[in-house]
């Protein structure tokens, strides 16, 4: 299983762009990179998934460099409602080879 | 669609008591999962199922049993609860495609074992 490392916590002001980087040096060829968001007292929610280069959806963008040893989740113009824990996962769920780390706790400040 | 629902939302047990947590999904998903979440530990996989009638062990299966008699339901049982099983339990489901990692999570069950 690929080990992931991400900051434990981050603070950001409302309206700023937030970038959360995850390191995964031993990522395997078949592994995907997936990000989840979890609000207090709720289950995690899928945000975005990618394999290489850049992926964008209505919520976030995911940047993956060519060597795939890291990835960056970008949240544009955060609001207070984006305060949550963000998890970086590396692997393939279909093979039961994905683990959740402790995540990054993002606090958005007014 | 209700998505993934979990019953009960809260429960307090005494050491040695047994209980069953129920997870139900109405999305016709093949895969279902049980996780536990402890402070500072992230989510850890307890058991999972790749289809009706099948179950398999995850990362931390000891002290738990599961059953998937119907495709839409996944039950997690604690035969003899211990204080170490105090945790928040999440159920999740997903479709079958191997390379897509989107799971749908339930709201969680907060279990306290005294």
């Amino acid at each position: 299983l690929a080990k992931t490392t991400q900051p434990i916590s981050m603070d950001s002001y409302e309206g700023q762009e937030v970038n959360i980087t995850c390191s995964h040096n031993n990522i395997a060829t078949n592994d995907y990179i997936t990000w989840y968001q979890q609000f207090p007292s709720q289950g995690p929610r899928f945000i975005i998934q990618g394999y290489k280069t850049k992926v964008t959806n209505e919520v976030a963008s995911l940047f993956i460099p060519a060597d795939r040893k890291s990835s960056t989740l970008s949240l544009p113009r955060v609001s207070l409602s984006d305060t949550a824990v963000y998890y970086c996962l590396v692997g393939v769920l279909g093979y039961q080879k994905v683990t959740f780390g402790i995540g990054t706790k993002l606090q958005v400040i007014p | 669609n209700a998505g993934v629902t979990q019953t009960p939302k809260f429960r307090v047990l005494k050491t040695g008591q047994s209980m069953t947590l129920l997870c139900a999904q109405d999305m016709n998903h093949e895969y279902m999962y049980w996780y536990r979440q402890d402070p500072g530990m992230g989510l850890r996989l307890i058991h999972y199922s790749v289809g009706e009638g099948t179950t398999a062990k995850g990362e931390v299966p000891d002290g738990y049993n599961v059953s998937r008699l119907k495709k839409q339901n996944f039950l997690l049982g604690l035969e003899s609860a211990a204080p170490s099983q105090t945790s928040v339990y999440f159920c999740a489901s997903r479709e079958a495609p191997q390379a897509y990692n989107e799971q749908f999570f339930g709201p969680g069950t907060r279990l306290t074992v005294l």
Side-chain angles (χ1 to χ4, degrees):
Chain A
L1 291 174
K3 177 177 164 51
T4 60
T5 303
Q6 52 183 123
I8 292 175
S9 65
M10 295 179 68
D11 292 336
S12 176
Y13 288 103
E14 268 193 301
Q16 288 189 328
E17 178 184 74
V18 171
N19 295 310
I20 306 174
T21 296
C22 180
S23 298
H24 28 80
N25 290 323
N26 61 337
I27 186 169
T29 302
N30 295 331
D31 286 344
Y32 283 77
I33 299 158
T34 310
W35 286 80
Y36 279 77
Q37 174 191 57
Q38 185 178 26
F39 297 114
S41 301
Q42 293 187 26
R45 183 175 73 103
F46 173 92
I47 301 176
I48 197 166
Q49 173 175 319
Y51 183 78
K52 60 181 178 180
T53 63
K54 176 183 174 182
V55 180
T56 298
N57 62 23
E58 65 277 6
V59 176
S61 295
L62 178 59
F63 298 92
I64 305 169
D67 66 5
R68 304 197 331 122
K69 292 184 183 300
S70 67
S71 59
T72 299
L73 175 72
S74 181
L75 304 172
R77 296 184 299 280
V78 294
S79 64
L80 295 177
S81 62
D82 293 315
T83 293
V85 177
Y86 293 83
Y87 295 96
C88 166
L89 282 67
V90 173
V92 180
L93 256 179
Y95 305 130
Q96 320 315 325
K97 293 184 178 180
V98 171
T99 55
F100 285 79
I102 62 173
T104 297
K105 187 172 184 179
L106 172 66
Q107 181 69 51
V108 179
I109 306 164
Chain B
N1 284 352
V4 179
T5 58
Q6 293 183 232
T7 309
K9 289 186 169 52
F10 303 94
R11 186 71 185 269
V12 178
L13 290 179
K14 294 181 179 178
T15 297
Q17 287 185 318
S18 63
M19 79 163 294
T20 300
L21 282 68
L22 171 63
C23 175
Q25 53 96 2
D26 61 2
M27 296 173 283
N28 202 36
H29 286 169
E30 290 291 338
Y31 287 61
M32 296 188 74
Y33 304 81
W34 275 108
Y35 293 88
R36 60 176 290 172
Q37 184 171 39
D38 303 297
M41 297 287 290
L43 278 84
R44 292 182 292 170
L45 182 64
I46 305 171
H47 286 280
Y48 64 95
S49 168
V50 301
E52 181 179 316
T54 71
T55 62
K57 295 180 180 179
E59 184 185 355
V60 288
D62 294 341
Y64 305 95
N65 56 74
V66 288
S67 65
R68 183 103 181 264
L69 298 180
K70 293 183 178 180
K71 186 176 183 179
Q72 64 267 33
N73 295 336
F74 195 28
L75 279 63
L76 178 71
L78 286 74
E79 290 186 348
S80 179
S84 61
Q85 294 178 304
T86 293
S87 187
V88 180
Y89 291 86
F90 289 102
C91 175
S93 71
R94 62 183 282 272
E95 296 183 67
Q98 295 289 324
Y100 195 52
N101 289 338
E102 181 175 11
Q103 296 177 94
F104 294 83
F105 282 82
T109 294
R110 186 174 295 275
L111 174 66
T112 302
V113 183
L114 302 175

